[in-house]
Amino acid sequence: METLKRLTFVKRGEQKLYCFIEACNQIFPNVSRSTVRLWLRNSNIETLYPTLDERRVFKHANPQLKSSVFGLIRETDLKRLINEKVEKTCAKVARRSSTCPQPKLVVYSDDGSSEDDGGAISTPKTTLSLNTSNAASTVTSSSPQKMEIVETATPNSSKRVCKVVAVSPAEFPTPPSSRGTTNDSGDESTPQSAKRCRTPYKLSKQEAGEIVNTEVNELCKFYTIELNPKRNGPAFAKQTLDKLVERIYCFLYFCIHHRNVPVVTLDIFNTDTLICEYVDYLSKVRKLMPNTITAHLSCIINVIKYNFREDWSALDSCKAVMSCRSYQRQLSRQAKMIAKRGKEGLCMKKASKRFYFNHILDTLRNLRAKIFETTGVAKARHLHDFVMLATYIRVNPGRSKEIRTLQVFVESGENPFDASLFLDTNVIVFREDTTVSLIENDFKTINSTGPINMDLSEDRELVYYLHQYNLARPSLLQAKSHAYFFLNYTGEPFRDSSSLCKYLGDLFGREVSIRVSTNALRHSIVTYFKTLEDSEDLKIRESLARLMKHSLRYQQDTYDDTTAQQKTQPAREPLRRKMAADIFGQADVVITDENEGAPALGDEEMVLRPHVGDICALLDPAATADNICFFLAKVARYTSDQLEAHLIHLAPLDESETLFRLVPGKVWRERSAALLYPIDVLYNASQQAYELRTRPLDIYNMVNGH
């Protein structure tokens, strides 16, 4: 823990807080920050946001932090992280030392060439066993490396020097018999290859054979031809076709290696029983999520459609297609339930940070601050990141394809913009009159949404930064020449969605310590929009769905991460405060002259009012001492001003003048001042009715004062 003493810290209460960047540089100098952040997530350690004063302290102590955005880590968390990593490293070294064979010293002769200080190593002359001397034992005990005695010579001297050098196991030649995963010789002391191979799930093209590969190529042509009368639907994009081919070979691998079924042609996809077993294999062996299994089944359906391309009428009666679609419906329901559990925080997975729209705003603020704090290429990169996110959330909250395929065109007098040259391209146009237009012709839902031509001139702030970035863009190209608007760190366009997702993940991980993708951005935008008053307007919701290029139903079912707690809050409020407010007796009151809104009473007078659930009486205004007419009722609840009460009627039984029963559904409102209370009423269980013991004359006198 000596390193901690050299680090700057601040105190917040009783806690010591360290700068995360300084801790990474000083304690883990050979580990990337993204790896350290991964350690923090695995250990459930969260960083804290520094206050303005705390930032000044760290930036004054370390000027290199001037243009950096950083978090703070608690001293206890940092010590725990250090202890975990040291123990893990020691255990790994111990395992390697126990399994590594005893190193040998190799004495090399002076035959052959040699270089200054380092040497070309010539053919070994003698091999010696290494004795456990102090120096050698110290080196070998701390590392699994092998030791060599190398004899070298300088160019201007014939003197030869012997020295002990450490050589990693990879520098030693491995016998051909021991390079595989199995040891045919049976000698367990022979070193094995340290590389661990991932379990294969896809059949290689060599193993598939020429016939199957030829059919796969023909299938690719079938789905890529722009106009094909034998295909129902548009041509596949390159990424979709690549996934289709990959999953075809995954299915063929399962047939050959797990079911021992010989594969001759793609007609094997028409086998219903194999598809059922394949779904079970994907779920239990490969442990794929329902959505991924559904995608595999879609690829199988596409292959079956290709097989039935000459007879479409027979496709509807194919059992394999019916099984696939039945599985897809069931898996879709499972996927929706898993998504709902995730939104409610009920997943079995380790809890992770939720990504909110405020994280996007924090990232944009940090990037904008860095634009003014940096110069040169660093400023251009921050401007690139700022413009990419600002454009996304203000005018184009679509998918990753719209971002990574966006090209730029700068209009001039000699080079006017011609839209007919960009019919299949997403392009941002900087016109000669300084206005900016965004034209999109290539995105996922273009067939249902149609091409988009959007004028961005109304967003003056965004247009300003777009012009600024367009001027700084050449410094990020690194001498490359292409028209793509957004670039990776090497000046190249983003080759696919995964490269853009990794770039965004690094960006948000660096700024707000959460790695996300464009899909998470879409979720956060819709979820935050649902909290605004504008979300109650159906036209605005439809407009947002069109802007994000999906349907209104998909917006509500998929991208809305609002929890059930938040969705039911508007209904729970009236239930708790109005409809069922008095069930625990909170509103059971005694109205006196101190109650606001109650009738004025004399200084010494106090009138008791029945509580909720009590039985009271009401005297008919036309009643006289000779003809007394009254009603009995149970108090259901009072109004908010306590001036009126909701009453449930009690009707007298026909055979008795003193027994009364509740009449469900017969409720009316009466002034609180008209209620006569208390009266003597007792519940008669044998008659299942309320028995009135107060005489009618006494009820009459309670009003007339006799």
Side-chain angles (χ1 to χ4, degrees):
M1 300 299 177
E2 293 294 329
T3 311
L4 289 179
K5 297 181 180 179
R6 300 196 298 268
L7 295 178
T8 306
F9 66 89
V10 296
K11 276 197 169 184
R12 188 183 293 179
E14 299 297 327
Q15 292 182 343
K16 285 186 179 180
L17 303 178
Y18 294 88
C19 174
F20 174 75
I21 296 179
E22 280 191 341
C24 291
N25 296 338
Q26 297 293 330
I27 301 175
F28 307 107
N30 299 324
V31 182
S32 64
R33 292 180 194 169
S34 59
T35 303
V36 178
R37 290 190 184 97
L38 180 61
W39 293 348
L40 296 179
R41 287 197 294 270
N42 293 338
S43 301
N44 290 327
I45 298 176
E46 294 185 356
T47 55
L48 307 175
Y49 283 101
T51 62
L52 187 60
D53 294 336
E54 292 170 344
R55 288 174 58 84
R56 290 197 185 104
V57 171
F58 286 108
K59 289 186 176 182
H60 179 75
N62 186 356
Q64 295 180 354
L65 297 174
K66 184 176 180 181
S67 61
S68 300
V69 178
F70 52 85
L72 304 181
I73 184 171
R74 301 179 184 88
E75 181 184 27
T76 55
D77 294 336
L78 187 57
K79 288 181 178 179
R80 179 159 68 93
L81 186 66
I82 295 173
N83 292 334
E84 289 178 358
K85 295 309 161 185
V86 170
E87 292 175 1
K88 186 176 181 179
T89 305
C90 293
K92 185 183 294 185
V93 171
R95 288 196 303 270
R96 289 179 177 175
S97 301
S98 61
T99 58
C100 183
Q102 183 178 9
K104 297 182 179 181
L105 293 183
V106 183
V107 180
Y108 291 87
S109 67
D110 56 355
D111 298 335
S113 61
S114 63
E115 297 179 0
D116 182 19
D117 229 52
I121 301 176
S122 56
T123 307
K125 181 177 181 181
T126 312
T127 301
L128 304 176
S129 298
L130 179 66
N131 294 327
T132 55
S133 60
N134 293 335
S137 61
T138 303
V139 176
T140 56
S141 63
S142 61
S143 173
Q145 294 174 333
K146 297 186 177 182
M147 307 301 300
E148 290 183 358
I149 296 179
V150 181
E151 195 176 79
T152 63
T154 59
N156 299 326
S157 175
S158 60
K159 182 179 179 181
R160 285 167 171 74
V161 181
C162 293
K163 59 183 180 179
V164 179
V165 296
V167 184
S168 64
E171 296 175 0
F172 281 81
T174 305
S177 62
S178 63
R179 290 177 185 171
T181 56
T182 58
N183 187 0
D184 298 333
S185 64
D187 184 7
E188 296 181 358
S189 63
T190 304
Q192 300 292 326
S193 174
K195 186 178 179 180
R196 297 194 309 177
C197 297
R198 182 180 177 183
T199 305
Y201 295 116
K202 186 174 70 171
L203 192 70
S204 64
K205 291 188 177 181
Q206 293 79 5
E207 192 176 0
E210 183 179 356
I211 298 177
V212 173
N213 291 333
T214 303
E215 283 201 342
V216 172
N217 292 333
E218 291 297 325
L219 180 142
C220 293
K221 294 178 182 178
F222 177 81
Y223 280 110
T224 52
I225 298 175
E226 191 65 29
L227 296 176
N228 189 348
K230 297 181 180 180
R231 184 190 68 229
N232 185 16
F236 284 1
K238 182 181 180 302
Q239 293 80 3
T240 305
L241 191 66
D242 291 342
K243 273 296 180 184
L244 173 62
V245 173
E246 176 188 338
R247 286 163 178 162
I248 287 174
Y249 284 107
C250 287
F251 182 79
L252 297 179
Y253 177 88
F254 163 77
C255 295
I256 293 176
H257 291 276
H258 289 269
R259 289 298 175 265
N260 298 323
V261 178
V263 177
V264 180
T265 65
L266 293 183
D267 290 337
I268 195 171
F269 283 81
N270 302 346
T271 309
D272 179 40
T273 55
L274 276 178
I275 293 175
C276 297
E277 294 175 356
Y278 186 56
V279 172
D280 193 59
Y281 159 79
L282 294 176
S283 176
K284 296 181 179 179
V285 178
R286 293 190 58 181
K287 301 186 183 303
L288 299 183
M289 297 296 289
N291 277 336
T292 309
I293 300 177
T294 302
H296 277 268
L297 292 173
S298 296
C299 291
I300 293 176
I301 293 176
N302 288 328
V303 177
I304 298 175
K305 287 180 179 179
Y306 170 77
N307 293 338
F308 284 85
R309 63 190 180 279
E310 301 296 340
D311 186 11
W312 280 88
S313 59
L315 183 63
D316 295 333
S317 60
C318 178
K319 290 185 178 180
V321 174
M322 296 171 63
S323 298
C324 288
R325 289 173 176 167
S326 177
Y327 274 125
Q328 285 181 323
R329 288 190 292 269
Q330 298 172 39
L331 290 169
S332 297
R333 287 193 289 268
Q334 291 183 12
K336 288 181 180 179
M337 186 56 63
I338 291 174
K340 290 178 180 178
R341 290 195 184 102
K343 293 176 182 179
E344 297 296 328
L346 302 177
C347 285
M348 297 301 293
K349 294 181 179 179
K350 186 182 295 183
S352 58
K353 286 185 179 179
R354 292 288 300 273
F355 183 77
Y356 298 101
F357 189 76
N358 284 336
H359 289 116
I360 304 178
L361 300 181
D362 290 343
T363 301
L364 286 169
R365 295 188 190 103
N366 295 342
L367 292 173
R368 187 172 181 275
K370 290 181 180 180
I371 292 173
F372 296 104
E373 294 175 357
T374 55
T375 58
V377 178
K379 179 176 182 177
R381 177 54 61 181
H382 295 318
L383 189 59
H384 167 277
D385 297 341
F386 178 81
V387 168
M388 182 168 62
L389 283 181
T391 305
Y392 182 85
I393 67 171
R394 289 183 72 123
V395 297
N396 187 27
R399 297 174 178 84
S400 63
K401 187 175 184 179
E402 292 92 289
I403 301 176
R404 59 185 176 82
T405 61
L406 185 64
Q407 299 186 26
V408 59
F409 184 90
V410 181
E411 191 179 46
S412 62
E414 300 80 12
N415 187 24
F417 177 72
D418 186 1
S420 62
L421 301 177
F422 298 90
L423 295 180
D424 299 322
T425 308
N426 301 324
V427 59
I428 184 169
V429 184
F430 291 87
R431 301 193 181 273
E432 200 171 8
D433 57 356
T434 69
T435 60
V436 181
S437 298
L438 179 65
I439 300 174
E440 293 181 327
N441 292 299
D442 185 18
F443 50 91
K444 182 177 180 180
T445 57
I446 187 171
N447 292 323
S448 58
T449 305
I452 297 173
N453 184 5
M454 189 182 305
D455 184 11
L456 308 183
S457 302
E458 60 183 10
D459 195 341
R460 301 176 61 182
E461 296 87 353
L462 178 62
V463 170
Y464 169 78
Y465 280 100
L466 285 170
H467 281 286
Q468 293 296 314
Y469 167 65
N470 191 46
L471 295 175
R473 178 175 166 272
S475 62
L476 301 178
L477 283 171
Q478 301 182 18
K480 297 179 178 64
S481 178
H482 58 78
Y484 287 94
F485 195 51
F486 296 118
L487 317 170
N488 61 17
Y489 290 112
T490 62
E492 297 284 351
F494 297 100
R495 64 183 184 275
D496 50 30
S497 59
S498 61
S499 61
L500 178 61
C501 288
K502 184 179 184 305
Y503 185 91
L504 289 174
D506 293 340
L507 173 62
F508 283 101
R510 185 171 61 249
E511 300 297 337
V512 291
S513 300
I514 302 179
R515 297 186 62 86
V516 294
S517 63
T518 52
N519 191 47
L521 296 181
R522 291 165 66 84
H523 278 263
S524 65
I525 290 173
V526 174
T527 304
Y528 181 72
F529 171 76
K530 296 289 286 186
T531 64
L532 304 178
E533 293 183 359
D534 294 335
S535 64
E536 299 178 1
D537 191 336
L538 179 59
K539 292 184 178 180
I540 298 180
R541 292 204 306 270
E542 291 177 345
S543 178
L544 178 65
R546 185 174 182 83
L547 183 64
M548 299 184 72
K549 305 177 185 70
H550 57 227
S551 64
L552 189 61
R553 180 187 61 82
Y554 207 73
Q555 177 190 90
Q556 182 175 351
D557 295 344
T558 303
Y559 289 114
D560 183 10
D561 290 339
T562 308
T563 62
Q565 172 86 7
Q566 297 166 331
K567 289 180 179 179
T568 59
Q569 182 67 24
R572 287 186 288 112
E573 282 296 321
L575 282 175
R576 185 172 66 250
R577 295 187 176 182
K578 297 180 180 179
M579 299 177 65
D582 307 330
I583 60 174
F584 300 111
Q586 294 94 330
D588 297 352
V589 296
V590 175
I591 300 179
T592 66
D593 57 338
E594 298 177 354
N595 291 112
E596 184 179 356
L601 302 175
D603 295 337
E604 298 180 357
E605 183 182 6
M606 182 180 70
V607 179
L608 293 177
R609 299 303 181 198
H611 291 184
V612 174
D614 287 346
I615 295 176
C616 58
L618 292 99
L619 186 66
D620 191 334
T624 62
D626 299 328
N627 185 17
I628 300 175
C629 183
F630 63 91
F631 308 94
L632 291 188
K634 177 178 283 191
V635 179
R637 63 185 180 90
Y638 287 97
T639 58
S640 58
D641 56 8
Q642 305 291 331
L643 296 179
E644 291 184 332
H646 292 259
L647 305 176
I648 305 174
H649 180 57
L650 277 78
L653 298 184
D654 295 336
E655 63 274 10
S656 175
E657 295 181 356
T658 59
L659 295 178
F660 296 81
R661 284 180 183 171
L662 286 171
V663 180
K666 192 172 181 179
V667 181
W668 80 98
R669 292 172 65 172
E670 191 69 50
R671 292 184 304 107
S672 300
L675 304 182
L676 303 180
Y677 184 83
I679 57 176
D680 190 5
V681 177
L682 180 67
Y683 183 73
N684 191 327
S686 61
Q687 300 292 332
Q688 296 183 354
Y690 291 93
E691 182 180 354
L692 176 64
R693 296 187 176 183
T694 303
R695 295 183 307 163
L697 183 59
D698 294 336
I699 296 176
Y700 178 81
N701 291 335
M702 291 173 66
V703 176
N704 294 281
H706 296 294

